[in-house]
Amino acid sequence: TLNDLMDFCETVPMLSEKRLVVLRDMKNPGEDFAAYLDQIPETCQLIMIWEDPDKRTKTYKEIARKSGEYEFGILDEPDLRKYIDKRFRQAGKSIPSNRMNQLIQRTGYYDKDSLYTLNNLENDLKKIIAHCSGQEVGEEDIRAGVIGNLETNVFEMLDAIARVVPDFKK
């Protein structure tokens, strides 16, 4: 409720200059909420996590104007490539362009219904780096470090079975 939020925000921070208040799963805040944003004390830092807000509403526009708005979506391809390249360079590794393409494809980061996030990618990059014995990341390093999209893996498994078992295709 708004009263609960006010209590959290107005509580004096202990052992720090500011108190961090995180408001998760916001659902249709009212105009009273937007009005309260002007009254939040300087000692409070409020972070609002709001999935799929209706950006057409007056309340949303007022909240965005007063507090600022940051949208966290997936990285576009050039930024994703820079992100990956930077992680490898920090570890003293390099990755050729064709293997970068293979890595991005294998992760499923851009697949429409994928749940693969940047956090998953970060963990997979750490596995690849740990597996890589040379300076250049190889195809085997990518296969060992990235489980990737499960749908792709299922199709790869079916193809492998079809190659091994001759009557499987029928």
Side-chain angles (χ1 to χ4, degrees):
T1 66
L2 181 58
N3 286 336
D4 291 336
L5 178 66
M6 291 169 68
D7 287 343
F8 283 119
C9 290
E10 293 172 9
T11 300
V12 178
M14 295 185 68
L15 305 174
S16 67
E17 292 179 29
K18 293 198 178 234
R19 178 178 180 85
L20 178 65
V21 177
V22 180
L23 181 57
R24 297 179 192 269
D25 302 325
M26 279 184 51
K27 305 265 191 282
N28 303 320
E31 290 181 29
D32 292 342
F33 177 83
Y36 176 67
L37 292 178
D38 290 329
Q39 301 169 21
I40 293 177
E42 289 290 321
T43 58
C44 177
Q45 184 69 49
L46 177 63
I47 297 176
M48 299 172 280
I49 300 172
W50 193 352
E51 289 188 35
D52 300 323
D54 186 354
K55 295 182 179 184
R56 301 169 296 174
T57 64
K58 177 183 173 187
T59 304
Y60 174 84
K61 290 176 183 176
E62 189 170 345
I63 290 170
R65 182 183 59 77
K66 288 180 178 182
S67 60
E69 163 187 35
Y70 301 94
E71 207 167 308
F72 296 97
I74 64 170
L75 296 177
D76 60 9
E77 190 168 344
D79 286 339
L80 182 64
R81 288 176 175 280
K82 287 177 193 172
Y83 179 86
I84 293 169
D85 189 54
K86 181 179 179 182
R87 294 302 183 270
F88 283 132
R89 278 188 286 112
Q90 287 174 338
K93 309 285 182 189
S94 64
I95 183 166
S97 180
N98 63 334
R99 291 212 187 94
M100 176 81 76
N101 295 338
Q102 178 188 12
L103 171 61
I104 292 171
Q105 178 69 35
R106 188 163 178 86
T107 64
Y109 183 77
Y110 289 116
D111 291 353
K112 182 180 175 189
D113 296 324
S114 177
L115 299 176
Y116 193 87
T117 65
L118 206 53
N119 189 43
N120 299 118
L121 177 62
E122 179 73 26
N123 291 331
D124 285 347
L125 293 177
K126 289 176 184 176
K127 289 187 275 184
I128 292 169
I129 290 166
H131 187 272
C132 182
S133 58
Q135 183 191 356
E136 188 174 284
V137 173
E139 193 172 323
E140 182 57 36
D141 300 320
I142 293 171
R143 268 194 244 116
V146 180
I147 293 173
N149 185 348
L150 292 178
E151 276 186 26
T152 303
N153 289 343
V154 167
F155 290 121
E156 287 176 5
M157 180 186 70
L158 291 175
D159 288 343
I161 291 171
R163 285 191 299 272
V164 174
V165 180
D167 294 331
F168 182 74
K169 292 180 185 177
K170 296 177 185 179

